Amino acid sequence: MPGAKRLQPVRREPAAVAIARRLTDAIMDGTLAPGTQLGEVELAAELGVSRGPLREAMQRLVQQGIAHSEPHRGVFVTTLTEDDVRDIYLARTAVESAACRLILRRDPQGTADRLAAVQRAMAKAARRGDPTALSAADTELHQVLVEESGSPRLKRMAQTLFVETRMCITALQDKYPVPDVMVDEHAAIIQAIRDADEELLLRLVDDHMQDAVRRLTERPEEAVPEVPPRPEAVSG
């Protein structure tokens, strides 16, 4: 029909890309735990794929650093150390701070609105006591933040960092930030974007990342013990 809007052809992605995404999701949610060997025969049977694209997908994970290859042994899911955690959040601070600067020069109000929608989902997950939904909303909010920068290179750099972050959180779930603290920290970041306060925004992003590092690397003996309330004096 002349002048009518035409539908675009459906694009089929390479099998290796789809397999790599499936494996990445399994690594992020802990189905494939740190140190797990990615056996070609077992995974090919489980996923219903041939070993050629599976091998290519595994190589993609190795290139991203979320898996590693050991000669004569095979490919294994990477186990992240405390130094890795610190490095991941250092890199995220750099990427997301750069994204924030770009956002303030583009459309801070529109970005704040989009982030606020995700933050509301995060608050609902916190009220329900749903850590899985909370973690997903947390990741989505930071993904939106980077995407709103308009920089494809920042987005590419952030992708692997977000996967590694989810690996950290899944492995150290008991140290995940207190839900209410997470919700409040993100609300403050969004408000700083809305106010176009660059100095405050960058400080909040840095504090947010440093707080996550402290929580994920803190040893039990380093935790500050709760001080019991002092008994009130009994008169008489």
Side-chain angles (χ1 to χ4, degrees):
M1 184 175 179
K5 187 175 180 180
R6 300 181 64 85
L7 296 175
Q8 296 297 316
V10 175
R11 295 182 179 179
R12 297 186 62 184
E13 61 183 3
V17 174
I19 295 169
R21 184 180 298 113
R22 184 70 61 86
L23 293 175
T24 298
D25 289 343
I27 290 171
M28 285 196 298
D29 67 18
T31 301
L32 294 173
T36 300
Q37 183 171 8
L38 302 179
E40 286 186 18
V41 176
E42 296 83 357
L43 285 175
E46 187 172 351
L47 296 173
V49 299
S50 60
R51 294 172 66 177
L54 173 62
R55 194 174 296 118
E56 183 181 344
M58 290 165 58
Q59 187 57 39
R60 285 173 177 265
L61 301 188
V62 171
Q63 291 171 351
Q64 290 179 321
I66 59 178
H68 65 278
S69 179
E70 297 185 11
H72 311 298
R73 292 196 64 207
V75 176
F76 298 80
V77 178
T78 297
T79 299
L80 299 173
T81 66
E82 288 189 2
D83 285 341
D84 289 322
V85 172
R86 295 186 183 93
D87 195 47
I88 289 164
Y89 279 91
L90 175 66
R92 280 191 59 186
T93 301
V95 169
E96 296 188 40
S97 294
C100 286
R101 291 190 180 94
L102 291 173
I103 286 168
L104 295 184
R105 289 154 181 75
R106 287 165 58 86
D107 180 19
Q109 298 305 319
T111 294
D113 289 342
R114 285 181 277 277
L115 292 172
V118 183
Q119 194 261 354
R120 286 193 292 272
M122 181 184 296
K124 289 179 181 178
R127 288 195 295 271
R128 293 197 308 270
D130 186 341
T132 301
L134 183 67
S135 176
D138 181 18
T139 301
E140 182 183 357
L141 189 145
H142 287 277
Q143 287 173 330
V144 171
L145 178 72
V146 176
E147 288 169 359
E148 288 290 304
S149 72
S151 169
R153 288 168 180 79
L154 287 179
K155 184 178 176 181
R156 283 202 300 269
M157 286 188 285
Q159 285 175 342
T160 298
L161 293 172
F162 290 144
V163 173
E164 291 178 316
T165 299
R166 288 289 296 274
M167 290 170 67
C168 293
I169 292 170
T170 298
L172 301 168
Q173 188 70 48
D174 59 322
K175 297 182 179 181
Y176 199 53
V178 178
D180 290 342
V181 172
M182 285 183 61
V183 173
D184 292 344
E185 286 182 353
H186 288 92
I189 289 171
I190 294 168
Q191 189 59 50
I193 292 174
R194 199 177 294 284
D195 295 339
D197 188 334
E198 182 171 327
E199 182 179 354
L200 174 61
L201 175 58
L202 297 180
R203 185 169 73 248
L204 289 172
V205 169
D206 186 68
D207 289 347
H208 180 60
M209 299 297 177
Q210 291 302 318
D211 181 59
V213 170
R214 283 192 295 271
R215 290 179 182 276
L216 292 171
T217 60
E218 183 181 69
R219 294 180 176 85
E221 63 271 17
E222 294 173 344
V224 178
E226 293 186 4
V227 179
R230 296 176 59 185
E232 295 182 3
V234 179
S235 59

